[in-house]
Amino acid sequence: MGPLKVFLAVITIITGLALLIWSADRFIFGASVLARILGVTPLVIGLTIVGMGTSAPELLVSALAAWNGNPSLGIGNAIGSNITNIGLILGVATLVTPLTLSSGLLKRELPLLFISTLLGYALIADGYLARIEGGILLLGLAALLSWIVWTARHTSREGPIGESLSPEIPTHSSGFMAITWLAAGLLLMLLGAQLLIWGSVKVAHLLGVSDLVIGLTIVAIGTSLPELATTLLGLWRKEPDIVIGNIIGSNLFNTLGVLALPGLIAPGPIPRPALERDYPLMLLMTLLLLLFSYGKQPKRITRLEGGLLFGVFIGYECWLYWTI
């Protein structure tokens, strides 16, 4: 009976992930078309609606997990997604081809990511994520979005994050279809997230592991699939700014938005492993990404450095496996 329950829970996880990712794409489509019809510029759509939409799976899973009494799953999802983005997705992408960084990434987005990661750790270092701390993170996200949009509108280029999102903005569709996809996408995202959380919690309980570990592994890797798709698109187009800008943008949303939701909805203690093992590793990998991007000409992340990031990710997953 045990294996059957695990099998059913795994099927539920796969179904929830597939539904979540597909409905997030439809939600982004509907919201983008509606915003365009209402006269919002493509740049603002790309930096806000589409940018948040690619992180919608993480945001929704974190919110529902906290609402259902499993905030550790949401915390693990935020941290694990950032580790997956840098170690797995960016690491493998760099093994395929070294990635050259633009000046905009070096001057703005990368330092912002590192500062945001430090801010997050400073807020949870006491072992407790309170509503005020969740509110600070969310205000930080709002300030970041406002600054990025303002900066982009006052320069001749949109910057790496804007460029990575602009190809996804639809240029034609009716208002009726936009509203239909917006509503359907939101409802199906809620259903997909609920299925993913239910299956993940069941697997955690049946296998005797914590919600945190499930959030760090199954949920984090699964909800990072949209970032993987965008990375593959960037590699195919031979546009490294799409690859790196997508990872940085997603990690900023995860740190300031996804991590904030458990604090706002279900404030409580941070699991000790997350504080002592997982978040420090996320901070270390962010620091490595920053260091790899400076100090050499041309400014690029090499295959060796990408291999190191990927090796750290594999080592971390093995560490989790042997310690659960």
Side-chain angles (χ1 to χ4, degrees), residues 33 38 81 84 116 125 136 146 181 192-193 199 207 209 222 232 265 293 300:
V33 171
L38 294 175
S81 292
T84 299
S116 299
I136 291 171
S146 300
W181 280 122
L207 299 181
V209 300
L232 294 175
I265 298 171
S293 305
R300 65 166 53 189

Side-chain angles (χ1 to χ4, degrees), residues 225-274:
L225 292 178
E227 285 78 15
L228 175 60
T230 305
T231 296
L232 294 175
L233 175 67
L235 290 176
W236 181 69
R237 291 179 175 175
K238 297 182 179 179
E239 295 178 346
D241 277 357
I242 288 182
V243 175
I244 305 174
N246 173 61
I247 296 300
I248 294 174
S250 176
N251 281 20
L252 281 167
F253 276 110
N254 290 340
T255 302
L256 297 175
V258 179
L259 188 62
L261 295 179
L264 290 171
I265 298 171
I270 300 289
R272 184 174 292 274

Side-chain angles (χ1 to χ4, degrees), residues 26-27 38 51 60 67 74 115 119 126 137 141 146 148 179 190 201 206 221 229 233 254 277 292 310 317 320:
R26 294 295 84 197
F27 176 80
L38 294 175
L60 203 53
W67 184 263
I115 292 170
L119 172 65
D126 61 353
L137 289 171
L141 178 60
S146 300
I148 290 177
I179 294 173
L190 287 168
V201 171
L206 290 170
I221 294 173
L233 175 67
N254 290 340
R277 175 193 63 200
F292 290 163
F310 181 61
E317 294 297 316
L320 286 178

Side-chain angles (χ1 to χ4, degrees), residues 158-217:
E158 297 183 359
I161 292 179
E163 290 171 358
S164 73
L165 300 172
S166 58
E168 301 177 49
I169 302 172
T171 56
H172 63 278
S173 192
S174 67
F176 174 76
M177 287 301 298
I179 294 173
T180 300
W181 280 122
L182 184 65
L186 181 59
L187 290 174
L188 291 174
M189 267 202 297
L190 287 168
L191 176 60
Q194 192 61 57
L195 288 172
L196 174 60
I197 292 166
W198 183 87
S200 299
V201 171
K202 284 293 182 183
V203 167
H205 292 168
L206 290 170
L207 299 181
V209 300
S210 67
D211 293 345
L212 174 66
V213 171
I214 294 296
L216 288 164
T217 53

Side-chain angles (χ1 to χ4, degrees), residues 1-10 202-203 206:
M1 193 66 177
L4 178 60
K5 289 183 177 179
V6 173
F7 175 76
L8 291 175
V10 170
K202 284 293 182 183
V203 167
L206 290 170

Side-chain angles (χ1 to χ4, degrees), residues 75-86:
I75 293 170
N77 184 26
I79 298 172
S81 292
N82 280 14
I83 293 172
T84 299
N85 286 342
I86 296 176

